[in-house]
Amino acid sequence: MATVLVLAGAGRYSDPWHDCAAQADEVAQVARALGHEVRVRSTHPATFDEPGLDEWAPQLLAVVAAGDPAHRADPGPEAGEWRRFHDARQALVDGGAAVLALHESSYAFGDDPRWAATIGGQWVDARSWHPPYGPATFRVVDDEHPVTWSLGEVTTEDERYADLVVADEAHVLVVADVTPDEAHGHGTAGAHPVVWTMPGTTRVLYDALGHDARALSSPSRRALLASELSWLLQR
């Protein structure tokens, strides 16, 4: 059994399009079904100040958070309050906690560039986009990796993120295919990375699937999430 801390975006790190609490609950359900001990907490400057959290020592930090665009270029007067949150989050990673970032988390914590560097990519305004929410198939491009070797493809109702900025060193496992008709006037057609891992001293995985609870509930989607959690928590 491992310890899993799920961060659900709230306030500054939420948005009008995602129910971070519902998404975080889906992640927690899958982690608990695998036998792990899970705590779900909302983002707040004092999130990591909770008594006993240091002793509990999360082995995995799963993030389902977004961001208020107004704070990306101008962090505002409250930015100082969040510094200890970001430093504590980074200290967990530097201390060896694995990282799972889901869906809108590629837009989270824009006032701390260490987050995008950790997960190896980000959603960028005026570049990144997605076709409308609906039936979606995501294609595995590395069927030898432990996360994806038995999946083939993932089908669910979801958004297909496209034109994310992805680090050169990211190892892509799953892509979303976008047709020229879908991309016309929006962005680039072709295969867009949506699940990847990052090299480093701890295991890090970004997964762009999971717009809402429905998207996270299909059998193949839950199988992918379970596989990701199992790989991230291998010691």
Side-chain angles (χ1 to χ4, degrees):
M1 180 182 73
T3 50
V4 178
L5 177 62
V6 183
L7 286 183
R12 180 185 186 90
Y13 299 118
S14 63
D15 65 31
W17 305 283
H18 301 95
D19 185 341
C20 296
Q23 294 166 297
D25 183 64
E26 293 292 326
V27 175
Q29 286 182 39
V30 174
R32 289 182 178 122
L34 292 171
H36 302 306
E37 184 180 347
V38 182
R39 297 185 187 181
V40 180
R41 297 293 183 269
S42 297
T43 54
H44 184 274
T47 295
F48 294 101
D49 297 340
E50 176 184 317
L53 190 61
D54 285 344
E55 290 78 7
W56 190 65
Q59 294 166 265
L60 170 65
L61 178 66
V63 178
V64 190
D68 181 346
H71 292 303
R72 295 184 76 79
D74 178 13
E78 63 181 18
E81 299 178 26
W82 286 95
R83 179 48 48 190
R84 73 178 189 270
F85 169 90
H86 293 307
D87 288 346
R89 187 205 72 238
Q90 189 61 39
L92 267 183
V93 178
D94 292 343
V99 177
L100 171 63
L102 290 169
H103 197 62
E104 70 268 29
S105 296
S106 58
Y107 197 77
F109 312 145
D111 47 337
D112 183 1
R114 292 176 295 181
W115 175 244
T118 294
I119 67 172
Q122 61 185 137
W123 176 287
V124 175
D125 291 330
R127 168 190 166 120
S128 307
W129 64 288
H130 61 78
Y133 180 101
T137 297
F138 300 90
R139 180 166 52 89
V140 170
V141 292
D142 182 353
D143 59 7
E144 296 184 355
H145 193 279
V147 169
T148 46
W149 72 270
S150 63
L151 290 177
E153 63 182 24
V154 177
T155 58
T156 188
E157 298 272 334
D158 208 343
E159 295 171 337
R160 286 168 289 149
Y161 275 14
D163 290 317
L164 299 173
V165 172
V166 182
D168 291 340
E169 61 268 34
H171 181 72
V172 179
L173 304 179
V174 180
V175 299
D177 293 306
V178 175
T179 69
D181 285 345
E182 290 173 320
H184 182 69
H186 299 284
T188 308
H192 294 266
V194 290
V195 178
W196 63 76
T197 64
M198 283 291 290
T201 57
T202 190
R203 292 190 172 185
V204 176
L205 186 145
Y206 172 73
D207 179 344
L209 286 65
H211 174 72
D212 56 13
R214 182 179 182 184
L216 286 159
S217 66
S218 83
S220 59
R221 176 63 184 101
R222 289 179 89 84
L224 173 62
L225 181 56
S227 184
E228 291 169 347
L229 291 167
S230 295
W231 177 75
L232 286 164
L233 287 165
Q234 284 177 1
R235 295 294 180 183

